[in-house]
């Protein structure tokens, strides 16, 4: 089993989901007392978020690169960044280490392509959906990517940052997010990517008719495939 490196803390709820799913996945695949070999460095969400708001991406890249280098020194044989928004500096982080970085955008795009999708919707934080760093990565796989309206992006930001990052899950917010997913379906997408770990706490496939691609779960499955190959 290869050692999985995790750059976490963005926020810690997301990192906890990654850790749980990795260990549940190993136990499901190997049985018995098996668990994932992993090492995580968790950054301060408040610090990197402040830098994000200030558009100081060079400083963000330094912090996350140092975290990636630390997990590499601790024995990680490949790395996951437990975040979507901070994939904005994924290329810089990948260049800073000598082990592979498994890019979330590539993973979700490949999953959509396996389901013969031509057009997908992406929901997540306003930053992730209003900028092109993540949508362009997905589109590079030959997919058309649609995102919510600006008003819907504001709604998703409120739900993610005011509720979900604090572990607060409500039926009202679930209904609001399902409505956004259905509007993307009406716009012609074949499936919708849940591009934020916290959204997986709120919406499941059983809540909607259109196929949904849970980015964190897919990221974890890709890591397990690599670690246990």
């Amino acid at each position: 089993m290869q050692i999985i490196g995790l750059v976490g803390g963005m926020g810690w709820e997301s990192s906890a989901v990654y850790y749980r799913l990795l260990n549940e996945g190993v136990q499901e695949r190997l049985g018995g007392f098996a668990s994932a070999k992993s090492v995580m460095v968790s950054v301060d969400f408040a610090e990197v978020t402040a830098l994000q708001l200030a558009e100081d991406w060079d400083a963000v890249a330094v912090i996350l690169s140092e975290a990636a280098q630390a997990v590499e020194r601790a024995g990680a044989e490949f790395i996951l960044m437990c975040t979507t928004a901070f994939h904005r500096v994924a290329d810089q982080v990948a260049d800073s280490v000598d082990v592979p970085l498994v890019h979330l955008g590539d993973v979700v795009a490949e999953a959509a392509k396996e389901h013969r999708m031509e057009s997908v919707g992406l929901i997540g934080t306003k930053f992730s959906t209003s900028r092109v760093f993540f949508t362009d990565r997905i589109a590079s796989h030959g997919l058309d990517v649609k995102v919510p309206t600006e008003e819907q992006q504001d709604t998703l930001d409120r739900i993610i940052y005011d509720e979900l990052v604090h572990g607060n899950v409500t039926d009202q917010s679930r209904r609001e997010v399902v409505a956004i997913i259905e509007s993307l379906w009406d716009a012609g997408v074949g499936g919708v990517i849940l591009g934020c770990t916290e959204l997986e706490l709120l919406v499941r496939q059983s809540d909607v008719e259109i196929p949904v691609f849970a980015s964190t779960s897919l990221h974890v499955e890709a890591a397990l495939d690599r670690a246990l190959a």
Side-chain angles (χ1 to χ4, degrees), residues 87 90-91 101-107 109 132-143 145:
H87 269 75
D91 289 342
L101 184 144
V102 180
H103 196 292
L104 179 59
D106 295 335
V107 169
V132 299
F133 71 92
F134 202 68
T135 54
D136 279 0
R137 186 77 177 216
I138 298 169
S140 71
H141 291 260
L143 291 163
V145 185

Side-chain angles (χ1 to χ4, degrees), residues 16-218:
V17 172
Y18 268 87
Y19 185 78
R20 175 176 58 81
L21 291 178
L22 283 167
N23 284 285
E24 289 177 350
V26 168
Q27 188 168 67
E28 181 179 340
R29 294 188 186 203
L30 300 183
F33 296 114
S35 60
K37 291 183 178 180
S38 66
V39 57
M40 178 188 292
V41 170
S42 187
V43 302
D44 180 0
F45 192 36
E47 180 182 13
V48 293
T49 298
L51 292 169
Q52 173 192 2
L53 293 173
E55 297 285 348
D56 191 349
W57 289 105
D58 288 340
V60 172
V62 168
I63 291 170
L64 298 188
S65 293
E66 289 177 349
Q69 291 161 10
V71 296
E72 182 181 18
R73 289 194 300 271
E77 293 169 87
F78 63 92
I79 294 172
L80 309 183
M81 292 173 61
C82 305
T83 172
T84 301
F86 291 98
H87 269 75
R88 167 69 173 73
V89 296
D91 289 342
Q92 294 96 308
V93 174
D95 289 343
S96 75
V97 293
D98 294 322
V99 296
L101 184 144
V102 180
H103 196 292
L104 179 59
D106 295 335
V107 169
V108 295
E110 288 164 7
K113 294 284 282 187
E114 286 175 5
H115 285 77
R116 302 183 182 279
M117 296 287 162
E118 295 181 357
S119 179
V120 293
L122 172 68
I123 64 173
T125 64
K126 186 171 187 177
F127 180 81
S128 298
T129 54
S130 64
R131 308 291 182 97
V132 299
F133 71 92
F134 202 68
T135 54
D136 279 0
R137 186 77 177 216
I138 298 169
S140 71
H141 291 260
L143 291 163
D144 175 50
V145 185
K146 298 185 186 301
V147 298
T149 66
E150 185 173 357
E151 181 180 355
Q152 290 171 333
Q153 291 172 13
D154 289 336
T155 297
L156 288 165
D157 251 24
R158 172 180 55 77
I159 292 169
I160 292 167
Y161 287 116
D162 293 351
E163 300 174 14
L164 297 179
V165 297
H166 303 294
N168 184 17
V169 178
T170 70
D171 289 337
Q172 174 60 32
S173 292
R174 181 177 294 108
R175 287 191 291 270
E176 290 181 79
V177 174
V178 166
I180 293 171
I181 291 172
E182 290 175 344
S183 73
L184 288 167
W185 191 10
D186 291 341
V189 305
V192 173
I193 296 165
L194 304 182
C196 175
T197 304
E198 286 81 9
L199 287 174
E200 295 178 45
L201 303 173
L202 187 67
V203 177
R204 292 177 170 79
Q205 183 62 70
S206 58
D207 295 316
V208 292
E209 294 183 54
I210 187 174
V212 294
F213 298 96
S215 59
T216 299
S217 298
L218 291 168

